Amino acid sequence: MTVACSAARLPRHLFRTLQCRRCYSTRAPVSLLGQQYPTDSMTNITSAIIDKVGRNLYMNPSHPLGILQSLISSHFHNFNSMVGLNPVVSPARNFDDLGFPPDHPGRAATDSYYINKDLMLRTHTSAHEVETFARGERQWLLSADVYRRDEIDASHYPVFHQMEGARVFSADAVGRAELEDDNARLSHHLARSNIVIEDVPHITASNPPQDVHDPVLAELVALNLKLSLNSLMLTLFGDRAGANEGEPLRVRWIEAYFPFTTPSYEVEVFFRGKWLEILGCGVVQQQTLDRARVPDSISWAFGLGLERIAMILFSIPDIRLFWSQDPRFISQFTAGQINTFKPYSKYPACYKDLSFWLPQTGLHDNDFCDLVRDTVGDLVQDVVLIDSFTHPKTNRSSKCYRINYCSMDRSLSNDEANSVHAQVISNLKDKFGVEIR
Ligand code: DAH
């Protein structure tokens, strides 16, 4: 590198991720799960994220995410349950294969983590649909860590966990008979359970079947999907102590849209006084099965976020806690049990405001959040944009963020908060060339 940039003065581990945009081309390769990847101008993965890859929280049977993962896997005990797939995928796998349009916002570097222009961290478990169908799996579950650039608050973390599930039927009389049998079995089970379901029609003009599908078969598949997931909701939420005090479990179905399914739905559950969005699902777009070379078949699929459900079931108030290695957190959970988390202490919040003039090129909220996270790790509890304006005369834009520094497991001294805040300011100036106000 001939032109020195201010980021070059940073310690080595920060230099890897915080050097200025001009220097990306000289950025060291990224090492993930023992594999080295070249970087380029698309690279935006940070060391805070690299450190999380391979932690596999959902595989720990006595971690809340692992407990929930096992509960769902045992509910679908006839399904092949897959874990441990490499999170590095091509954008083609993550988006194109699933019918995402070229201008879908999820593809933007502000929303996803790219290792380089050809590889990214999967943003959802659906990224593995084609390869899983292609292996000939007929009923399967897949659990994995997924990565999205996002805001910072108690329910958003750039790494989280999803489970994907799918069931394939043959698109003929055999499949039809299998569906009719299974639908009768599931309906019988649900009719005897304490559940009230607010349904929507399986198929409508705004939630249409696919042209290639026999509409009767598509209806049977949609019904099987709904019955299977209503039954899962009973396993997860029915009769949970104090959940609904003997009241029936209420499940609500809503029409939805996903590029890779039609018809599509969302499922909500009424739990402790609130409707909670639980999962997305639908009848798999035939192109996906075609791409996987699974002929003459029809399938449903669903995807759910483990953190969201675990936060509800275990009463975990802050998503960062899932990553805590504090024995006061870890020791509260036992394999196979859902219990209420008892907060051990609430440490004082320490708010610091940060106002600055944006660089000419602007600054996306997610770039700011990643920089904070990469600088201070889990000491940040939330970040809120409290002001944003453009000066009428100079046309310069300014933003003010309020950062809440608060450790999950200890009291943070004001000196320490000041020192990490100073580091954020310094990195922000170095990486984005902002002018502090
Ligand atoms: N991949 C979706 C997401 O991350 C969730 C999802 C929706 C998965 C519908 C599915 C599905 O398999 O059919 O938001």
Side-chain angles (χ1 to χ4, degrees), residues 240-265:
R240 285 274 160 240
N244 298 289
E245 288 154 18
E247 300 269 304
L249 174 68
R250 292 171 64 194
V251 176
R252 174 159 93 176
W253 285 78
I254 296 169
E255 272 187 15
Y257 173 80
F258 302 103
F260 39 95
T261 49
T262 188
S264 307
Y265 317 94

Side-chain angles (χ1 to χ4, degrees), residues 111-412:
D111 284 38
S112 297
Y113 289 104
Y114 284 86
I115 295 159
N116 53 45
K117 66 176 180 5
D118 300 318
L119 292 171
M120 64 186 302
L121 294 177
R122 67 184 154 227
T123 63
H124 57 169
T125 41
S126 309
H128 298 289
E129 276 198 4
V130 172
E131 71 202 56
T132 309
F133 286 131
R135 276 207 311 277
E137 299 288 350
R138 302 291 285 183
Q139 36 189 27
W140 54 269
L141 291 176
L142 191 152
S143 315
D145 39 331
V146 300
Y147 299 78
R148 288 187 202 170
R149 303 189 69 198
D150 218 330
E151 58 212 79
I152 300 184
D153 65 29
S155 56
H156 290 90
Y157 201 83
V159 190
F160 58 105
H161 299 83
Q162 288 189 329
M163 280 178 89
E164 190 91 1
R167 183 162 177 191
V168 183
F169 299 88
S170 53
D172 57 15
V174 176
R176 192 170 166 152
E178 190 189 350
L179 278 159
E180 281 166 351
D181 266 12
D182 201 51
N183 290 350
R185 178 186 65 82
L186 286 164
S187 303
H188 181 69
H189 158 66
L190 287 162
R192 288 178 309 153
S193 306
N194 200 14
I195 184 168
V196 172
I197 298 153
E198 291 176 32
D199 206 353
V200 285
H202 306 330
I203 284 170
T204 62
S206 51
N207 204 17
Q210 297 169 44
D211 292 341
V212 289
H213 288 160
D214 165 0
V216 176
L217 198 62
E219 289 249 0
L220 285 172
V221 171
L223 176 61
N224 190 259
L225 166 67
K226 288 180 174 178
L227 294 169
S228 304
L229 293 177
N230 286 333
S231 161
L232 174 66
M233 292 307 110
L234 266 174
T235 298
L236 296 180
F237 298 100
D239 299 329
R240 285 274 160 240
N244 298 289
E245 288 154 18
E247 300 269 304
L249 174 68
R250 292 171 64 194
V251 176
R252 174 159 93 176
W253 285 78
I254 296 169
E255 272 187 15
Y257 173 80
F258 302 103
F260 39 95
T261 49
T262 188
S264 307
Y265 317 94
E266 263 161 19
V267 177
E268 293 186 348
V269 159
F270 197 73
F271 196 72
R272 301 198 180 126
K274 276 195 268 180
W275 282 105
L276 305 165
E277 197 185 306
I278 302 295
L279 58 79
C281 60
V283 178
V284 174
Q285 283 283 6
Q286 211 58 24
Q287 285 113 307
T288 308
L289 292 173
D290 290 348
R291 216 165 254 127
R293 297 184 196 287
V294 182
D296 310 318
S297 300
I298 183 166
S299 178
W300 55 247
F302 71 86
L304 55 79
L306 287 176
E307 274 82 351
R308 172 186 277 273
I309 301 176
M311 287 177 84
I312 299 164
L313 287 178
F314 293 88
S315 301
I316 293 173
D318 186 330
I319 196 164
R320 291 177 302 165
L321 281 163
F322 291 112
W323 298 90
S324 171
Q325 288 170 324
D326 190 321
R328 289 172 297 175
F329 178 75
I330 298 168
S331 66
Q332 291 199 24
F333 307 100
T334 311
Q337 274 179 35
I338 292 187
N339 57 291
T340 302
F341 168 67
K342 293 185 196 63
Y344 27 90
S345 187
K346 186 115 184 67
Y347 297 99
C350 187
Y351 293 98
K352 306 268 173 210
D353 290 356
L354 180 47
S355 306
F356 53 87
W357 294 110
L358 298 188
Q360 292 280 301
T361 46
L363 178 67
H364 195 281
D365 288 343
N366 289 349
D367 285 327
F368 182 76
C369 288
D370 260 329
L371 181 128
V372 175
R373 214 148 340 229
D374 211 42
T375 307
V376 310
D378 283 346
L379 290 183
V380 57
Q381 179 166 317
D382 52 71
V383 171
V384 183
L385 179 65
I386 52 173
D387 189 31
S388 150
F389 76 93
T390 301
H391 193 284
K393 290 210 177 106
T394 63
N395 220 19
R396 289 178 88 193
S397 298
S398 156
K399 280 189 175 181
C400 180
Y401 291 96
R402 178 160 295 164
I403 307 177
N404 173 7
Y405 297 105
C406 178
S407 164
M408 290 179 287
D409 35 41
R410 66 196 170 82
S411 222
L412 205 62

Side-chain angles (χ1 to χ4, degrees), residues 52-63:
K52 297 287 190 287
V53 175
R55 285 277 297 275
N56 295 331
L57 299 177
Y58 68 98
M59 289 194 207
N60 175 349
S62 44
H63 186 280

